[in-house]
Amino acid sequence: MSGSPPDRRWLRASASFPAPVIAEIHRAADEGVYDIRGFGAKRPLPTFDDLLLLGASMSRYPLEGYREKCETAVTIGARFARRPLELAIPITIAGMSFGALGANAKRAIGEAASAMGTSTTTGDGGMSPEEREASKLLVYQVLPSRYGLDPDHLRACDAIEVVVGQGAKPGGGGMLLGQKITERIAGMRDLPVGIDQRSACRHPDWTGPDDLEIKIHELREITDWELPIYVKVGAARVGYDVALAVKAGADAVVVDGMQGGTAATQDVFIEHAGVPTLPAVRQAVEALQELDMHRKVQLIVSGGIRHGADAAKALALGADAVSIGTASLIALGCNRADYVEDYHALGTEPGYCHHCHTGRCPVGITTQDADLEARLDPEQGARRLRNYLTTMVLELQTLARACGKSHVLNLEPEDLAAVTVEAAAMAKVPLAGTDWIPGGSRE
Amino acid sequence: MSGARAPVEFDLAVGDTRSLNRSLHDAAPDGGAPPRWRIRNPGGRHALCVGMDAEAALEVFGHVGYYCGGMNQAAHIVIHGNAGPGVAENMMSGSVRVKGDASQSAGASGRGGLLVIEGNASARCGISMKGIDIVVAGSVGHMSAFMAQAGHLVVCGDAGADLGDSIYEAVLFVRGSVGSLGADCIEKEMTDGHVERLGGLLAAAGVEADARSFRRYGSARRLYHFHVDRADEY
Ligand SMILES: Cc1cc2nc3c(=O)[nH]c(=O)nc-3n(C[C@H](O)[C@H](O)[C@H](O)COP(=O)(O)O)c2cc1C
Ligand code: SF4
């Protein structure tokens, strides 16, 4: 028997046990604990890529690209709040905790969002002064962990978001591994330094929609009915959750699809729980329409939004705005081919990194390490994120104008066709080239 | 003498929750003397006296619903009756005293101040507490001090099952029996320092009990880091 390598033509990979599955079983056998990581789902899923905008034709007039206006402003939270949020663009920055992100990243995000006239959001760790200072419009999250929850911050924010769940982990609590719990972060969360922090998955003082209604009432009383109150849910039983959030008195509902990013969650959770963003939007819109609340309670959609086309399709399905997490970090420099040797030290490459949980972010975004953080210049980061958001808006307007819309919110399901049967069924728009909607037509 | 101000009477049989809270938030301090309020006919209403952020002395005569005194800062609130779920939730400072019994999640996620319950408290008393001190003259229900991060929970009666489950650095003192201890919660030595600290808390709460008759519980700190051999406890 010779020891020479085999003829590769005869090597047949298993479809059930491809190389990454084998590697994961080996890792689990070595470590005896699930894999925790950042980023969102990596598996292929039906997405907005499976929908197309039809554009104008003989019966639909397009608008002139550079001459005719295509408005982008949206108002969020006019149902009950005395001071609804006026956003210049229908793209917001999603909640990402100070702790998961460093202070420079928070500042860059705040400055870019403010320059664009949109909002940014705190996260599971409270409000940092850098963030409040940099953000003209700041949404303050009230999470199950209640880390750093402070009535002064409630009064100082521009909207409140009660987080019931997240798309990356509907039903799961937060995680922040010990390497990121520095003295400052520990102080803000009232936790010991350096521990692996598991935060709660349920709120400590309410369970169920009837309680939530009372909780929202309390938050309104504390803030004298000034501020919009959002409810954020991870996409799971979307129709019920949206209807119950409306019943509980939300001004806006945030639906985060299963592709939604995270700073640290079990891989099995990221990949195997929840509903993709595409069907979630349609289900949420239907729930609002059934209650005659569409456009009265705003729908903000997140989870895998990458460019203006995704935003256009989400709006066409009936969302009022989209929200981005991962894409905003990528704009700041996440997965950029700088400091390549540090990606290697984490066992990854630029383009594949999902190592936010380690606190060793090679580009200084999801870290609390002063040396790494110094790699992110907040000004340059803000500039990049602003450029990216500007591009997204231009893309969104280009597509909306091509569909003949003078406001991006005028996009509608009738502007869409699906390229797969699955997407047609999930979005309830016809399969391209047919008038067939699997499972029945949209009302 | 700055002199105590005459109490303002507010009747919830006439005014509603919104007008009460608005009046409380708008009340301007008057020459240094904190305002005093007497609130009648609460009728189990929710969210009474929430979001106080200045010194004031509030007395509520009757039973209150959810979240009375929620997120209190600096005010001193006395409830002459029973309190619904989440009384003094996320309190920052000041005090809340319940003369009767309290429902679930009393003092949830509180970050400071003193909550005194002269009767019993139901399940999850002190859940997620982050620095608040809670003194219960009676007993507490199951899962009390769940994920308790900081502060003190003093129980003069008994504690229900799973006390201090997944506790961090909060300190628990119980005089009576404990149904069972939750994951990672253990009995710890009661040193002279702890007796003194407990004595101070009892005195502040105006509850008579011999600090030496209590046992102390806290975190074994075994769940502070993910570890393969502790998977059963997560
Ligand atoms: C680094 C990071 C930290 C996050 N932290 C929070 C958080 O504290 N609270 C929360 O509700 N969602 C959190 N999320 C989820 C986002 O709010 C949002 O739902 C998600 O990122 C949207 O999907 P996308 O990343 O594909 O845009 C986080 C996401 C990332 C990427
Ligand atoms: S580059 Fe940084 S932000 Fe991006 S995935 Fe890696 S660790 Fe996370």
Side-chain angles (χ1 to χ4, degrees):
Chain A
M1 266 189 8
S2 94
S4 55
D7 181 343
R8 297 197 68 81
R9 290 173 306 166
W10 297 106
L11 297 181
R12 185 173 172 203
S14 163
S16 303
F17 292 91
V21 171
I22 290 175
E24 170 53 21
I25 293 174
H26 288 159
R27 190 207 58 76
D30 288 342
E31 297 176 12
V33 65
Y34 39 52
D35 190 23
I36 295 171
R37 68 170 176 85
F39 230 71
K42 292 194 166 184
R43 62 185 287 163
L45 287 165
T47 67
F48 292 119
D49 281 346
D50 302 318
L51 297 182
L52 299 172
L53 286 146
L54 294 176
S57 53
M58 290 284 272
S59 57
R60 302 277 185 282
Y61 308 132
L63 298 186
E64 273 311 335
Y66 295 95
R67 293 181 192 87
E68 289 175 301
K69 259 196 155 23
C70 177
E71 308 273 359
T72 57
V74 289
T75 303
I76 311 278
R79 183 185 183 194
F80 291 120
R82 215 170 289 147
R83 276 199 282 139
L85 233 57
E86 303 289 349
L87 304 180
I89 59 171
I91 304 165
T92 68
I93 308 294
M96 292 181 277
S97 68
F98 174 62
L101 301 191
N104 283 353
K106 274 287 184 192
R107 183 177 284 282
I109 287 172
E111 279 170 11
S114 302
M116 295 300 294
T118 192
S119 60
T120 180
T121 315
T122 65
D124 200 4
M127 185 189 287
S128 72
E130 292 94 335
E131 183 172 33
R132 176 61 280 189
E133 201 185 294
S135 312
K136 202 161 156 276
L137 298 173
L138 183 59
V139 182
Y140 186 51
Q141 288 196 329
V142 175
L143 296 114
S145 71
R146 305 280 167 90
Y147 291 141
L149 181 63
D150 187 328
D152 286 339
H153 294 168
L154 272 180
R155 287 182 281 261
C157 72
D158 301 288
I160 298 167
E161 182 168 296
V162 179
V163 179
V164 178
Q166 239 178 283
K169 47 180 164 185
M175 281 186 170
L176 197 66
L177 300 190
Q179 51 276 43
K180 293 178 88 166
I181 311 270
T182 58
E183 230 162 89
R184 179 167 184 210
I185 299 299
M188 282 178 74
R189 296 178 184 221
D190 303 294
L191 283 170
V193 176
I195 66 162
D196 289 336
Q197 164 260 292
R198 312 144 280 143
S199 63
C201 62
R202 290 196 305 267
H203 284 261
D205 56 355
W206 65 269
T207 35
D210 295 336
D211 281 6
L212 175 58
E213 185 171 350
I214 303 170
K215 187 78 212 171
I216 289 178
H217 177 229
E218 184 208 11
L219 293 170
R220 290 203 193 279
E221 285 294 325
I222 289 172
T223 52
D224 288 316
W225 292 72
E226 295 280 333
L227 306 175
I229 299 187
Y230 306 0
V231 172
K232 175 177 180 175
V233 295
R237 293 172 187 83
V238 180
Y240 289 121
D241 285 352
V242 170
L244 291 169
V246 171
K247 189 218 158 233
D251 291 301
V253 185
V254 182
V255 175
D256 191 27
M258 74 166 280
Q259 295 100 316
T262 174
T265 298
Q266 299 92 327
D267 175 81
V268 70
F269 218 150
I270 299 177
E271 299 289 358
H272 298 280
V275 167
T277 308
L278 174 65
V281 187
R282 195 263 307 157
Q283 286 181 297
V285 172
E286 279 180 359
L288 291 170
Q289 285 168 337
E290 247 168 58
L291 297 168
D292 193 23
M293 281 292 169
H294 188 224
R295 304 290 188 222
K296 295 176 190 156
V297 169
Q298 281 71 41
L299 172 65
I300 303 173
V301 167
S302 59
I305 304 288
R306 302 154 299 175
H307 40 54
D310 282 348
K313 293 168 190 176
L315 297 190
L317 285 175
D320 295 273
V322 296
S323 194
I324 57 168
T326 305
S328 67
L329 304 187
I330 295 175
L332 290 183
C334 156
N335 270 295
R336 212 180 165 91
D338 300 334
Y339 308 101
V340 174
E341 63 289 359
D342 289 342
Y343 286 94
H344 292 168
L346 291 169
T348 190
E349 289 273 7
Y352 298 87
C353 186
H354 57 220
H355 292 62
C356 316
H357 61 291
T358 64
R360 306 293 309 158
C361 176
V363 290
I365 297 170
T366 49
T367 183
Q368 299 300 321
D369 178 287
D371 292 337
L372 290 174
E373 229 198 307
R375 294 177 180 181
L376 177 67
D377 171 10
E379 238 172 75
Q380 188 191 37
R383 156 62 57 162
R384 284 180 175 157
L385 180 52
R386 225 170 76 206
N387 286 346
Y388 166 67
L389 286 168
T390 303
T391 308
M392 264 185 103
V393 174
L394 288 171
E395 289 170 344
L396 168 59
Q397 286 173 308
T398 299
L399 292 168
R401 279 201 190 93
C403 294
K405 313 298 185 192
S406 58
H407 196 296
V408 291
L409 288 188
N410 294 342
L411 285 161
E412 54 195 323
E414 199 272 331
D415 292 313
L416 295 168
V419 289
T420 66
V421 175
E422 288 84 354
M426 289 181 186
K428 288 203 181 162
V429 301
L431 187 66
T434 77
D435 52 14
W436 179 48
I437 297 176
S441 65
R442 236 172 198 272
E443 287 297 297
Chain B
M1 204 180 101
S2 65
R5 283 161 74 168
V8 181
E9 294 281 337
F10 194 103
D11 188 351
L12 279 159
V14 181
D16 61 8
T17 304
R18 180 77 289 259
S19 55
L20 170 67
N21 287 327
R22 192 193 307 118
S23 313
L24 292 172
H25 297 170
D26 290 349
D30 167 22
R36 291 164 61 205
W37 293 79
R38 289 161 168 269
I39 298 149
R40 313 265 175 198
N41 296 309
R45 283 182 182 77
H46 308 312
L48 297 176
C49 314
V50 296
M52 293 297 296
D53 68 346
E55 235 191 295
L58 277 53
E59 281 188 276
V60 185
F61 296 91
H63 307 310
V64 296
Y66 282 54
Y67 309 133
C68 184
M71 302 207 192
N72 182 47
Q73 275 170 309
H76 298 282
I77 304 172
V78 179
I79 299 159
H80 296 271
N82 301 326
V87 64
E89 65 86 19
N90 214 83
M91 178 155 62
M92 306 295 288
S93 61
S95 69
V96 173
R97 176 180 293 274
V98 182
K99 300 291 248 181
D101 297 323
S103 182
Q104 300 188 55
S105 305
S109 78
R111 298 179 64 194
L114 175 67
L115 169 63
V116 181
I117 295 160
E118 296 191 0
N120 301 302
S122 179
R124 300 181 193 87
C125 180
I127 182 173
S128 195
M129 56 195 277
K130 296 168 168 57
I132 188 176
D133 292 324
I134 305 176
V135 178
V136 183
S139 299
V140 297
H142 66 270
M143 292 301 270
S144 287
F146 175 54
M147 292 183 104
Q149 293 174 222
H152 300 88
L153 173 63
V154 180
V155 182
C156 299
D158 304 327
D162 293 318
L163 177 72
D165 194 285
S166 306
I167 188 172
Y168 293 92
E169 293 299 307
V171 180
L172 316 180
F173 298 108
V174 183
R175 185 163 61 167
S177 66
V178 171
S180 61
L181 292 174
D184 212 29
C185 185
I186 54 169
E187 185 171 350
K188 296 189 162 182
E189 190 194 348
M190 190 78 179
T191 64
D192 288 346
H194 291 111
V195 170
E196 197 180 319
R197 207 191 302 176
L198 174 56
L201 288 165
L202 290 166
V207 172
E208 286 217 11
D210 177 7
R212 295 202 176 270
S213 60
F214 285 73
R215 291 161 178 253
R216 177 171 75 102
Y217 304 88
S219 179
R221 305 188 178 105
R222 280 192 312 258
L223 298 184
Y224 278 12
H225 296 279
F226 292 105
H227 194 287
V228 51
D229 296 324
R230 305 210 181 102
D232 307 350
E233 294 193 56
Y234 292 128

